[in-house]
Amino acid sequence: QVQLVQSGAEVKKPGASVKVSCKAPGYTFSSYDINWVRLATGQGLEWMGWMNPNGDNPGSAQRFQGRVTLTRDTSISTAYMELSSLRSEDTALYYCVLGTVPHAFDIWGQGTMVTVSS
Amino acid sequence: QSALTQPASVSGSPGQSITISCTGTSSDIGSYNLVSWYQHHPGRAPKLMIYEAIQRPSGVSHRFSGSKSGNTASLTISGLQAEDEADYYCCSYAGSSNPWVFGGGTKLTVL
């Protein structure tokens, strides 16, 4: 089964950008959608965006449009989520997630903690 | 404010059954049978428990079941066990412009 390994925790200042990586050893992201979901302390899960197996036309939730960039490098089996113009409310645990069952998120990375603080 | 509404907390004793509701609108739950449920223990990644409203992934206990009626989906856990104590989130497809919306989460306490 595919496993997702994410990059380590980040601390950023307001206004900066963060780029989180999600590596899937042996998998080229060619079969399933890759999604990004975050969990802020005291808040619920929040879907941020996705990329289909073709890697074209990635989509994002309306509230993140213009701030989130989803990319991937199939040669190194890695997907990326970059979030710009960070603010304190973006402090959260960020997950990459594969959907191998229809219309759901079933294979999760371990999460990457992003802290935004001046 | 989350797009889907869940109770903040529910509780039950071991062996009992509980149901967690998830209320949306005719634009999400009411239009699609694409509701999923996730169990989250703090410090671990969330785990998929139900997909497509009623389907149970391989490996998930039969004690977990899902249903949907109108704009409301529900997760029922029968034969409560201590290990079921966790946060539970619902999620629904909401159309191509803003595809996936989550509920605010429900904390389940096993008394």
Side-chain angles (χ1 to χ4, degrees):
Chain A
Q1 186 175 355
V2 179
Q3 290 189 325
L4 302 177
V5 180
Q6 298 183 223
S7 48
E10 303 262 13
V11 179
K12 296 291 183 180
K13 293 192 182 302
S17 296
V18 67
K19 191 170 186 177
V20 178
S21 68
C22 173
K23 186 171 180 66
Y27 173 65
T28 60
F29 298 101
S30 58
S31 299
Y32 310 111
D33 297 342
I34 180 78
N35 295 265
W36 292 86
V37 176
R38 76 179 188 180
L39 178 63
T41 302
Q43 307 292 317
L45 293 171
E46 183 172 28
W47 181 81
M48 298 181 68
W50 72 298
M51 179 178 284
N52 65 22
N54 291 331
D56 55 5
N57 199 26
S60 64
Q62 287 174 348
R63 62 171 291 176
F64 295 106
Q65 285 176 5
R67 282 213 302 146
V68 69
T69 303
L70 304 181
T71 56
R72 71 181 190 184
D73 185 343
T74 56
S75 68
I76 56 171
S77 302
T78 302
Y80 302 93
M81 185 282 298
E82 184 171 20
L83 187 62
S84 62
S85 302
L86 289 170
R87 34 214 188 223
S88 59
E89 309 90 86
D90 294 317
T91 294
L93 195 53
Y94 289 77
Y95 292 99
C96 59
V97 201
L98 282 182
T100 73
V101 298
H103 312 113
F105 314 124
D106 63 322
I107 299 179
W108 295 69
Q110 85 275 20
T112 295
M113 186 67 208
V114 175
T115 302
V116 182
S117 174
S118 55
Chain B
Q1 185 176 357
S2 301
L4 305 178
T5 301
Q6 299 180 232
S9 63
V10 298
S11 62
S13 299
Q16 288 186 331
S17 295
I18 63 94
T19 296
I20 299 172
S21 63
C22 172
T23 302
T25 69
S26 58
S27 297
D28 39 64
I29 293 177
S31 289
Y32 310 97
N33 288 325
L34 301 180
V35 177
S36 50
W37 288 89
Y38 301 86
Q39 176 191 65
H40 184 227
H41 289 104
R44 302 190 212 167
K47 178 183 178 182
L48 175 66
M49 307 305 285
I50 296 288
Y51 68 99
E52 292 184 332
I54 61 171
Q55 303 298 331
R56 197 170 36 247
S58 173
V60 171
S61 171
H62 284 72
R63 298 186 297 105
F64 292 83
S65 62
S67 63
K68 198 198 89 165
S69 177
N71 297 338
T72 299
S74 298
L75 173 72
T76 297
I77 309 173
S78 59
L80 269 180
Q81 299 179 0
E83 68 222 43
D84 299 333
E85 186 164 292
D87 296 322
Y88 291 84
Y89 295 90
C90 61
C91 179
S92 175
Y93 184 70
S96 58
S97 63
N98 206 35
W100 298 103
V101 290
F102 280 92
T106 298
K107 182 176 182 58
L108 169 62
T109 301
V110 180
L111 302 170

